[in-house]
């Protein structure tokens, strides 16, 4: 019983003391919590931690015997009433001591302990100002009496459970009042007032509690400075204040809403604005806040932008990656940035444009700077090889790959483009400033070893079966050159264009006209479809094959060269070879021509035979014919159109050409028979004329009448030959004319070397050429007709004119004036109407008698 009795006595004493204190409290006026002196002078009472229910129950038995304490501001209803009944408290000093005790002193287990605590509390009161602490009766308020109640035999757990319901309702959730607790014991902040001085911690392990003001300052918001974002009120003041309040480079959030700025932001200090779905009044996204960077989230995407710039600004977004590790998975690709765009079959409409990465540069600036939409630099530093570990991995400045893994043709799977480079600009570009694609190769330093790249552009296949339709397709318009290599510098005689052996260089869409180098024959060939029309051998021999029978010319020269065809430098016994039946035309219409056919060398004028020479040297007069095709235009009037040099067996061979005319000469042009052009044959003024040194030595008119007298010669374009076993020029085919010189305005149509001849049929039996004895028509080595430099003609056979021999008709005075006529010369005396013949005795008339 003794312990129980002691406990009850102790409770009674404590209750009395508390009652005295509570009476004083009730009697004193209740302070106004909103007064500034209480907000500044009276700090809030420290929060008393609540023990768990189990710990409270475990300690309830010894709570009054040990050192467990209660809050001093918990009054006892019963003890208070007993104290009032006895009038135990009368003096103001006692009231002051008790009130002080109620504020600061713990309730002890013994009277001595309580007295000691009261003494300590009195000393503390003398040192600190009076504070106010609202009461919290543990038993709540009695609804009948409105008096706080307390059970004398209540346990500590019961007292703690009742405490929350004992709050003065006028103070709950009020400024400087009492915070409410929910059913879980969680704190609910007051509905008004500043709680930023409160501390809060993170749920993360090891996190420390910090003031809320510090945490709020780490994430400043424009809302902290009064921004409205209603689309009407001016938000520039709030943004300007927020920008001024934070350090340079800080991030400020702008909540969602509609922004309206009456004035632009003013400050050179950079700020990063995080805009969370905010738009302008018209719904447009915000793309500019002065020179600041904007990080905006809008319509499900994130945007970085800067609307204005100033000199030497940092980039809007920069990413750096330093690779410092070694090892790793073989083939692993490390990226600074990686983007993946997946477009499933139903992922986008057919008219959608999906660009996985897009870079746009708009520039209107002028000056010497460069503006680059996208740039890549792959650099191997100068000291990369200093460790002596040998060559390094490949470095690529850029890589593009478009892959279609369907295995289907593009007509089924769709189009693909590896990379497209478009340049849009207006006006002429005379100095080449605009460049569609530029490749620049150089050494890293001017004084170092020159750089060399194996291939400027390499185009190939990754397999042996795939092919390009067109390897390079240049479909644009150009006015200077399709491919310009004029400013390039070949080294070691490198070709500016190499298409390789047995490959074609075509000149039309159908690929029919094309060049090809035949590596087996080492010959350059010109083809039309499957016909080899022109071939140039490695020794300079030219062979043509023509398939336009009767409609064209195998070789046509135009222009004003001094010589149409110059073979004087060609060391060949035959300057020109014709096939049997072919002719050599002497004027553009092919009316006058010479040819060998049916065993006879024939000269014709129009359709009539003007002169023939058979294999026995017998000459028959009247004849001629003409036509044209291939044209070569020349503009060098002081030089020959064609010069052949070398030791070919034949100067010009047209035996393979199936055309009746082997060579055509313009009216007034001449063929020279030796290199000085002294001896010539030409057609002019209606007459075929042989001349020497400008003096006509022999003429043949359209009626087949021949007049003997004169000749001249010169040279131009030169071809050197050293294939003495072949012709210099061989024409094959069926062109109407073998060589046509009618379009060439030169007096010499063809020039032969001294001792060379023109063969009139493929075996070269019938020839015409100039030798030491003069101009000679021959069969093999037998001269049939010769014409010397004095105009004297010698025939191996007889003259057989179809219409008879027409003697020149002269007056008697003209006959007598003939200088040194040769014996046997015959003319017709017009005055005596009789022939006259010159003998050793002078001119003699020939006696005539009438035909019977």
């Amino acid at each position: 019983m003794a312990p129980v009795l002691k406990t009850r006595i102790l409770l009674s004493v404590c209750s009395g003391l508390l009652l005295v204190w509570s009476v004083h409290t009730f009697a004193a006026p209740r302070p106004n919590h909103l007064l500034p002196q209480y907000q500044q002078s009276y700090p809030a009472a420290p929060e008393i931690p609540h023990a768990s229910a189990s710990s409270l129950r475990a300690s309830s038995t010894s709570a009054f015997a040990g050192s467990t304490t209660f809050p001093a501001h918990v009054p006892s209803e019963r003890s208070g009433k007993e104290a009032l009944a006895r009038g135990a408290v009368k003096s103001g000093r006692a009231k002051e001591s008790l009130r002080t005790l109620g504020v600061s002193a713990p309730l002890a287990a013994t009277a001595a302990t309580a007295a000691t605590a009261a003494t300590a509390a009195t000393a503390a009161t003398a040192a600190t100002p009076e504070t106010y602490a609202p009461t919290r009766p543990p038993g709540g308020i009695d609804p009948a009496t409105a008096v706080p109640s307390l059970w004398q035999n209540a346990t500590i757990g019961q007292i703690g459970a009742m405490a929350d319901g004992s709050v003065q309702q006028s103070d709950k959730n009020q400024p400087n009042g009492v915070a409410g607790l929910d059913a879980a014991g969680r704190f609910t902040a007051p509905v008004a007032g500043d709680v930023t001085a409160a501390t809060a911690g993170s749920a993360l392990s090891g996190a420390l509690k910090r003031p809320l003001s510090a945490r709020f300052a780490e994430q400043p918001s424009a809302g902290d400075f009064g921004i409205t974002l209603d689309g009407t009120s001016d938000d520039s003041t709030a943004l300007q204040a927020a920008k001024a309040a934070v350090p340079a480079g800080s991030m400020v959030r702008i909540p969602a809403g509609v922004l309206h700025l009456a004035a632009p932001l003013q400050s050179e200090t950079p700020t990063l604005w995080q805009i969370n779905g905010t738009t302008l009044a018209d719904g447009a996204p915000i793309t500019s806040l002065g020179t600041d960077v904007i990080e905006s989230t809008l319509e499900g995407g994130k945007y970085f932008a800067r609307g204005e710039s100033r000199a030497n600004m940092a980039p809007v977004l920069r990413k750096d990656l330093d690779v410092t590790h070694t090892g790793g998975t073989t083939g692993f690709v490390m990226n600074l940035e990686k983007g993946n765009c997946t477009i499933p079959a139903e992922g986008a409409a057919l008219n959608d444009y999906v660009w996985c990465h897009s870079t746009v540069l708009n520039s209107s600036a002028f000056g010497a700077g460069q503006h680059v939409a996208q740039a890549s630099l792959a650099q191997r530093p100068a000291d990369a090889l200093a460790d002596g570990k040998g060559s390094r991995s490949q470095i690529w400045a850029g890589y593009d790959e478009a892959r279609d893994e369907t295995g289907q043709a593009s007509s089924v799977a769709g189009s693909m483009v590896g990379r497209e480079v478009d340049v849009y600009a207006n006006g002429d570009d005379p100095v080449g400033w605009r460049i569609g694609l530029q490749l620049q190769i150089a050494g890293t330093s001017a004084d170092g070893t020159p750089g060399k790249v194996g291939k400027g552009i390499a185009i190939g296949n990754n397999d042996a079966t795939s092919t390009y339709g067109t390897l390079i397709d240049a479909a644009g318009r150009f006015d200077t050159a399709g491919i310009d290599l004029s400013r390039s510098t070949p080294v070691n005689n490198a070709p500016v264009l190499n298409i390789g052996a047995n490959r074609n260089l075509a000149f039309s869409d159908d690929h029919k006209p094309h060049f090809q180098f035949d590596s087996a024959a080492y010959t350059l060939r010109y083809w039309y479809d499957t016909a080899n029309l022109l071939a140039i051998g490695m020794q300079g021999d030219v062979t043509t094959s023509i398939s336009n029978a009767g409609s064209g010319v195998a070789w046509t020269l135009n222009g004003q060269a001094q010589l149409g065809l110059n073979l004087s430098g060609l060391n060949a016994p035959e300057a020109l070879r014709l096939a049997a039946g072919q002719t050599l035309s002497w004027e553009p219409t092919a009316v006058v021509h010479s040819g060998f056919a049916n065993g006879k060398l024939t000269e014709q004028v129009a359709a009539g035979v003007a002169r023939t020479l058979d294999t026995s040297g017998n000459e028959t007069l009247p004849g001629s014919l003409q036509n044209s095709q291939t044209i070569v235009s020349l503009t060098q009037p002081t030089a020959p159109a064609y010069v052949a040099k070398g030791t070919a067996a034949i100067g010009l061979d047209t035996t393979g050409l199936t055309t009746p005319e082997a060579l055509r000469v313009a009216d007034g042009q001449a063929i020279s028979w030796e290199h000085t052009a002294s001896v010539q044959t030409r057609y002019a003024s209606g007459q075929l004329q042989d001349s020497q040194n400008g003096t006509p030595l022999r003429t043949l008119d359209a009626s087949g009448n021949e007049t003997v007298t004169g000749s001249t010669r010169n040279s131009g374009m030169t071809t050197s030959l050293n294939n003495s076993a072949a012709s210099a020029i061989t024409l094959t085919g069926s062109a109407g004319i073998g060589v046509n010189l009618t379009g060439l305005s030169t007096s010499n149509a063809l020039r032969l070397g001294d001792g060379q001849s023109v063969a009139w049929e493929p075996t070269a039996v019938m020839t015409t050429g100039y030798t030491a004895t003069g101009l000679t028509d021959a069969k093999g080595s037998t001269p049939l007709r010769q014409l010397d430099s004095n105009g004297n003609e010698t025939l191996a056979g007889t003259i057989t004119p179809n219409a008879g021999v027409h003697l020149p008709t002269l007056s008697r005075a003209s006959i007598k004036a003939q200088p040194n006529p040769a014996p046997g010369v015959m003319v017709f005396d017009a005055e005596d109407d009789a022939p006259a013949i010159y003998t050793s005795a002078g001119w003699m008339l020939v006696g005539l008698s009438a035909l019977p």
Side-chain angles (χ1 to χ4, degrees), residues 241-296:
K243 185 176 179 66
V246 299
S250 297
M251 178 185 67
V252 179
R253 296 178 181 271
I254 299 180
V258 179
L259 183 68
H260 172 64
L261 296 179
L265 296 185
Q266 301 293 331
S267 177
E268 290 294 323
T269 302
T271 301
L272 172 62
W273 300 94
Q274 280 194 331
I275 303 177
N276 300 309
T278 307
T279 65
L280 298 176
D282 59 357
I286 301 172
T287 60
S288 176
L289 284 179
T291 60
D292 289 337
V293 174
I294 298 172
E295 179 185 355
S296 177

Side-chain angles (χ1 to χ4, degrees), residues 19 113 164 208 313 489 505 659 692 813 817:
L19 179 59
T113 305
D164 188 59
L208 302 177
M313 296 195 74
T489 305
L505 180 62
T659 176
Q692 184 171 358

Side-chain angles (χ1 to χ4, degrees), residues 137-162:
I141 304 297
D142 189 337
T145 64
V147 176
S149 61
L150 176 66
W151 300 333
Q152 287 184 332
N153 58 352
T155 65
I156 295 299
Q158 290 171 330
I159 294 173
M162 293 184 294

Side-chain angles (χ1 to χ4, degrees), residues 611-613 617-621 706 785 793 795 798-800:
R611 180 174 62 183
T612 61
L613 182 66
N618 299 310
E619 186 177 29
T620 301
L621 303 177
E706 186 176 32
R785 180 176 62 184
E793 184 177 25
L795 295 179
T798 60
I799 297 177
T800 309

